[in-house]
Amino acid sequence: MPIELVDSVLDDLLGDMASLAACSSVSRDWYQHSHTALYASIHIHGSSRFTELFWLAHRDQHVRSGLSHTRELVIISDKPQFATSIVLLFADLLK
């Protein structure tokens, strides 16, 4: 299947995490493109969720690789200093 068609299919699935995850197991090409889409937008709701993501990324190269494709980071917290800390930790993690 032409990669342009794969891109088109995956573009239609943006936001559907379950389908994108399933597509990542189809083939190497599908994995690369769906992996990028899976990590394009990250929403973090509170410090405990961030801690889970941070340690998972610290232990798993695939997660770290996926996070390097993040284009949007949404932080939902009532503590402004928490948002600043997340940005700095992400920058350090992805070096």
Side-chain angles (χ1 to χ4, degrees):
M1 178 181 294
I3 200 65
E4 294 80 15
L5 188 53
V6 171
D7 285 339
S8 178
V9 168
L10 294 175
D11 284 347
D12 287 342
L13 295 175
L14 286 177
D16 183 346
M17 302 313 240
S19 295
L20 286 169
C23 289
S24 71
S25 64
V26 171
S27 73
R28 187 175 303 179
D29 285 335
W30 282 64
Y31 173 81
Q32 289 177 308
H33 292 270
S34 59
H35 197 69
T36 299
L38 277 168
Y39 287 94
S41 179
I42 302 288
H43 293 230
I44 298 175
H45 301 266
S47 60
S48 64
R49 300 301 292 177
F50 171 72
T51 301
E52 291 173 28
L53 178 62
F54 180 80
W55 287 114
L56 182 61
H58 185 71
R59 291 187 307 263
D60 189 327
Q61 173 60 37
H62 294 289
V63 173
R64 251 190 329 277
S65 173
L67 291 172
S68 70
H69 298 288
T70 301
R71 300 292 172 253
E72 177 184 48
L73 178 61
V74 177
I75 302 165
I76 300 170
S77 175
D78 57 355
K79 302 174 186 171
Q81 68 277 17
F82 174 64
T84 303
S85 299
I86 287 178
V87 171
L88 294 174
L89 285 169
F90 257 93
D92 188 51
L93 180 67
L94 297 176
K95 284 183 182 176

